[in-house]
Amino acid sequence: MPDPIFAHPRLAAVHDTFDGDRDDLDAYQEIIAELGARRILDLGCGTGSLAIRLAVSGLSVTGVDPAAASLDVARAKPGAHLVTWLAQMPRAQFDVAVMTGNVAQVFTTDDAWASVLADLHTALRPGGVLVFETRRPEYRIWDEWSIPVAQTRDVPGIGPVEQRFQLTDVRLPLVSFRYTYTFPDGEVLTSDSTLRFRDRNELDAGLTAAGFQIADVRQAPDRPARERVFLCERP
C-alpha cells in the first residue's frame, strides 16, 4: 500500500508544491538520451513530473504508480495525454526503466525488493537498462533528519499549507519518518513512511540475483557523495 502522502487526494494535491522544481530529474533525462532509449517505464511515477517531461520530448512513456490520487494529479497536468498511466506493471518491453527519488528504498523487505527487480527484469527488453538512485547509508542522512522541520507554502488553489517533518524511528537498515500537514481550513493529515538503506554489497547481490549486470554506478548530481545512481543492464 502506498503511503498517504501519495495516496490521499488532499496530500497528493500539495505534493508538487513542497517537492520543488525537481532538478534531480535532469540526470535521468540525460542518461536516457545517452542510452538512446525510446520506450521508457517510470515506476513509482507519482504525480508524473519525469514521465510528462520525457513524453513531451517525444519519447514513449508509461508511468506506473499504485497511488490513484497521485495519478489523478498527473493526469490533470499539461502534456499528460502523451503518457500511458497505469496502477500496475505492464507486460510491454521497454528500453529503460527508472525509479527516481526514494522509490527504490520503499521496498523494505527482501521479498518485496526481489519481486520488483524480477518485474523490472521482465519489463525490460534484452539489452534494456534499469536506472535508479539510492541513498548511501554510510552518509547517515537520518542524523540530519533528527531535528524537526516545519515550512509553510502557498499551494495554488488551496492556500497556505504547513508541512512538519519528524524523524520517528531508526532501526537500521530501516528509517521511519512522519509528515504532518495543516490546511487552511484547520484539517490536519499525517503520513508515515519507512525507507530501507541498502549498502553496496546488498544492492550488488540483489541485482545480480535478479539477472542484472551493473554497467555503471554514478554519484547523484544533486547530492554527490550522498546518493548513488545505478545503471543495470538486462543481458
Side-chain angles (χ1 to χ4, degrees):
M1 292 291 292
D3 297 336
I5 196 171
F6 306 111
H8 192 289
R10 206 163 195 197
L11 295 183
V14 305
H15 183 268
D16 285 353
T17 298
F18 285 97
D19 215 26
D21 56 15
R22 295 301 305 273
D23 288 344
D24 61 300
L25 299 181
D26 294 344
Y28 287 89
Q29 194 161 14
E30 292 166 3
I31 290 170
I32 288 167
E34 173 189 329
L35 296 172
R38 301 298 304 171
R39 296 168 296 172
I40 314 301
L41 170 65
D42 184 0
L43 179 61
C45 64
T47 57
S49 297
L50 177 61
I52 293 173
R53 180 193 295 202
L54 295 174
V56 168
S57 73
L59 302 180
S60 173
V61 184
T62 298
V64 178
D65 203 294
S70 289
L71 291 183
D72 287 343
V73 172
R75 291 188 180 103
K77 293 181 176 181
H81 66 286
L82 300 172
V83 180
T84 299
W85 304 104
L86 298 173
Q88 296 180 338
M89 288 283 287
R91 294 183 178 275
Q93 293 273 285
F94 297 92
D95 301 321
V96 168
V98 299
M99 291 188 288
T100 65
N102 293 328
V103 173
Q105 292 183 247
V106 303
F107 303 99
T108 57
T109 68
D110 292 338
D111 287 346
W113 181 234
S115 179
V116 74
L117 289 179
D119 288 343
L120 288 165
H121 189 276
T122 300
L124 287 165
R125 64 165 174 78
V129 179
L130 167 62
V131 184
F132 70 93
E133 65 185 89
T134 184
R135 297 176 187 266
R136 300 168 65 123
E138 59 268 30
Y139 185 80
R140 296 181 60 86
I141 186 63
W142 52 87
D143 289 338
E144 298 180 17
W145 293 348
S146 61
I147 300 175
V149 176
Q151 59 178 322
T152 299
R153 295 193 178 179
D154 191 20
V155 181
I158 296 176
V161 177
E162 181 190 69
Q163 178 200 72
R164 290 184 175 272
F165 174 87
Q166 178 185 5
L167 181 70
T168 55
D169 194 23
V170 178
R171 300 185 186 184
L172 297 178
L174 303 180
V175 177
S176 300
F177 49 90
R178 173 177 297 149
Y179 284 107
T180 302
Y181 293 85
T182 303
F183 289 83
D185 60 5
E187 183 176 18
V188 178
L189 297 172
T190 62
S191 178
D192 292 305
S193 301
T194 298
L195 301 179
R196 179 159 178 169
F197 285 73
R198 294 178 172 86
D199 63 26
R200 179 62 194 272
N201 290 337
E202 185 178 6
L203 287 164
D204 288 359
L207 290 163
T208 299
F212 286 102
Q213 292 181 354
I214 299 174
D216 196 7
V217 181
R218 306 176 182 180
Q219 292 191 43
D222 60 322
R223 295 188 179 97
R226 300 186 184 192
E227 297 185 15
R228 297 186 179 98
V229 177
F230 281 76
L231 281 71
C232 311
E233 184 178 354
R234 175 189 171 179

